[in-house]
Amino acid sequence: MPHIASLCANSHRLYTMADHKWTGSVKSLKGVILDMCGVLYDSGEGGGVPISGSVEAVKRLKESDLQLRFCTNETQATREKFVAKLQRMGFELSVSEVFSPAPAAVSILKERGLKPHLLVHDDLVPEFDSVDKMNPNCVVIGDAADKFSYKNLNDAFQVLIGMEKPVLFSLGRGPSDERHPTVTADGYVDNLAAAVDIILRHRSQ
Amino acid sequence: MPHIASLCANSHRLYTMADHKWTGSVKSLKGVILDMCGVLYDSGEGGGVPISGSVEAVKRLKESDLQLRFCTNETQATREKFVAKLQRMGFELSVSEVFSPAPAAVSILKERGLKPHLLVHDDLVPEFDSVDKMNPNCVVIGDAADKFSYKNLNDAFQVLIGMEKPVLFSLGRGPSDERHPTVTADGYVDNLAAAVDIILRHRSQ
């Protein structure tokens, strides 16, 4: 029986669960981890809108005995900015309750003594303030959007092929779909990795 | 026995062949097709330098009874500009003797009544002057270099996913290697094609 529920469906289901008063089969639950985009809010112009019922659902979960945490694959803003946006939508949450890719990457970088060359969105850069970025020995790529220029991609490429064993961290994956009709970070990660791979194969020949 | 020799090795071999006076085994040859970059000249700063012996080799081939044509995968300049560069290096050649991807693409577009959205190098655009580009129903991608911006890639993506059956022409392939250490057009073609493919699979579900 799981003791933590991870909800990444949509807030209708979340709302129904919150309405349950946590009886019966969910009695043994100790905590809930909520996905955010598409669960709490829908992205869109001006940052998006809360999904009907979701603000109330989060409120009820907070009032319950359950531990509540939020999880997101957001890599275009710091948690501070992201949380402020959700607070403006009416959600009760704080930065320390939110788990996102950049702080996870920062932990790994520090653990392994790695210094990153960043190919990330400008608004994400402050998440890496505490990390030494001089003489980089790895590349961290996120959903850089406009920063995915030919020059920036090649700068990251040069850093990677300058290493004996290139190390590339991707902050996430998320393909294009009808609701996100852009060439996503995925493709750029694959593009960069493939180019580096070709160079490595050339070298080993 | 082949009647046309296609040379894409290097000009040392070419020079040696030219020196042969076309006796013996090459007697039945009617023509020669020469690759250009890496055969006639080496690319580099300022447009590159002729490979030793290659100007003389072309001169001898021209003086022979053999038909001579040039073939290139150059997609960053019109044939006019490209030929002018080689003429400045000392080569005897004219635009009509050069076969390159853009004019080949133009033939196909006209044959099939296709109107392209271009994601190509600025200097290549004049090759497509004779083609109707209003209301595009296909995308043509070349080695666009700096033009491979996030916006331009997404513009091409929007054109493609707006079609019932997306048509994408790539003017060529050529991976990164130690002498061409950039994320090449290859990766961008694959990136775009993969993103479109994902959308199509979503639609058909």
Side-chain angles (χ1 to χ4, degrees):
Chain A
M1 189 82 86
H3 296 292
I4 293 176
S6 170
L7 301 185
C8 55
N10 60 55
S11 68
H12 300 295
R13 188 177 152 208
L14 169 62
Y15 188 77
T16 313
M17 282 192 76
D19 216 27
H20 249 305
K21 295 187 179 67
W22 309 103
T23 54
S25 65
V26 290
K27 230 175 188 170
S28 66
L29 275 181
K30 294 278 184 283
V32 174
I33 301 171
L34 296 180
D35 191 3
M36 304 177 81
C37 183
V39 173
L40 300 185
Y41 73 103
D42 277 328
S43 59
E45 290 298 312
V49 288
I51 293 173
S52 168
S54 60
V55 169
E56 176 63 15
V58 168
K59 195 169 156 27
R60 287 194 197 181
L61 285 168
K62 287 229 154 178
E63 286 165 357
S64 75
D65 292 335
L66 294 165
Q67 289 284 317
L68 181 59
R69 294 292 181 272
F70 303 88
C71 198
T72 176
N73 59 4
E74 173 67 46
T75 66
Q76 293 198 337
T78 57
R79 279 173 304 171
E80 282 72 12
K81 273 202 175 184
F82 187 57
V83 164
K85 180 176 84 173
L86 281 144
Q87 285 170 339
R88 280 195 301 275
M89 290 181 193
F91 290 101
E92 287 173 38
L93 81 171
S94 63
V95 170
S96 64
E97 294 165 332
V98 175
F99 292 79
S100 68
V106 168
S107 295
I108 292 170
L109 295 171
K110 289 183 175 176
E111 210 175 282
R112 303 189 189 174
L114 291 169
K115 295 174 286 179
H117 171 96
L118 300 177
L119 179 45
V120 301
H121 199 284
D122 278 345
D123 290 348
L124 192 72
V125 173
E127 290 277 19
F128 294 87
D129 275 354
S130 66
V131 181
D132 181 9
K133 289 176 284 287
M134 288 290 285
N135 304 314
N137 52 11
C138 73
V139 169
V140 172
I141 188 170
D143 201 351
D146 286 337
K147 303 292 279 189
F148 281 133
S149 65
Y150 185 66
K151 183 183 179 308
N152 286 348
L153 214 64
N154 275 312
D155 285 350
F157 179 63
Q158 293 295 340
V159 170
L160 287 168
I161 63 170
M163 300 173 201
E164 204 183 336
K165 288 185 180 178
V167 178
L168 171 63
F169 290 98
S170 166
L171 293 180
R173 299 192 72 81
S176 314
D177 59 45
E178 298 283 358
R179 289 176 64 196
H180 306 89
T182 59
V183 179
T184 61
D186 264 30
Y188 288 95
V189 174
D190 293 345
N191 194 350
L192 192 55
V196 173
D197 196 46
I198 287 164
I199 292 280
L200 293 187
R201 272 185 280 131
H202 270 265
R203 280 186 193 164
S204 65
Q205 272 165 13
Chain B
M1 190 81 85
H3 296 291
I4 293 177
S6 171
L7 300 186
C8 55
N10 61 55
S11 69
H12 300 295
R13 189 176 150 208
L14 170 61
Y15 187 77
T16 314
M17 281 192 76
D19 216 28
H20 250 306
K21 295 188 179 67
W22 309 104
T23 54
S25 64
V26 290
K27 228 177 190 170
S28 65
L29 275 182
K30 295 279 182 283
V32 174
I33 302 172
L34 295 181
D35 191 1
M36 303 177 81
C37 183
V39 172
L40 300 185
Y41 73 103
D42 277 328
S43 59
E45 291 297 313
V49 288
I51 292 172
S52 167
S54 59
V55 169
E56 176 64 16
V58 168
K59 195 169 157 21
R60 288 195 197 179
L61 283 168
K62 285 229 156 178
E63 285 164 359
S64 76
D65 292 335
L66 293 165
Q67 289 284 316
L68 181 60
R69 294 292 181 275
F70 303 88
C71 198
T72 176
N73 59 4
E74 173 67 46
T75 66
Q76 292 198 338
T78 57
R79 279 173 304 172
E80 282 72 11
K81 274 202 172 185
F82 186 57
V83 163
K85 180 177 84 173
L86 282 144
Q87 285 170 340
R88 280 195 301 274
M89 290 182 193
F91 291 102
E92 287 174 37
L93 81 172
S94 62
V95 169
S96 63
E97 293 165 330
V98 175
F99 291 79
S100 68
V106 167
S107 296
I108 292 171
L109 294 171
K110 288 181 175 175
E111 209 174 282
R112 303 189 189 173
L114 290 169
K115 294 174 287 179
H117 171 97
L118 300 176
L119 178 46
V120 301
H121 199 284
D122 278 345
D123 290 347
L124 192 73
V125 173
E127 290 276 20
F128 295 87
D129 276 353
S130 67
V131 181
D132 181 9
K133 289 177 283 288
M134 289 289 285
N135 304 315
N137 52 10
C138 72
V139 168
V140 172
I141 188 170
D143 201 352
D146 287 337
K147 303 291 279 191
F148 281 133
S149 65
Y150 185 66
K151 184 183 177 309
N152 287 348
L153 213 65
N154 275 312
D155 285 351
F157 179 63
Q158 293 296 338
V159 170
L160 286 168
I161 63 169
M163 300 173 200
E164 204 184 336
K165 289 185 180 176
V167 178
L168 171 63
F169 289 99
S170 167
L171 293 179
R173 300 192 71 80
S176 314
D177 59 44
E178 297 284 357
R179 287 176 64 197
H180 305 89
T182 61
V183 179
T184 59
D186 263 29
Y188 288 96
V189 173
D190 293 344
N191 195 350
L192 192 55
V196 173
D197 196 47
I198 287 164
I199 291 282
L200 293 186
R201 273 186 279 131
H202 268 266
R203 280 186 193 164
S204 65
Q205 272 164 12

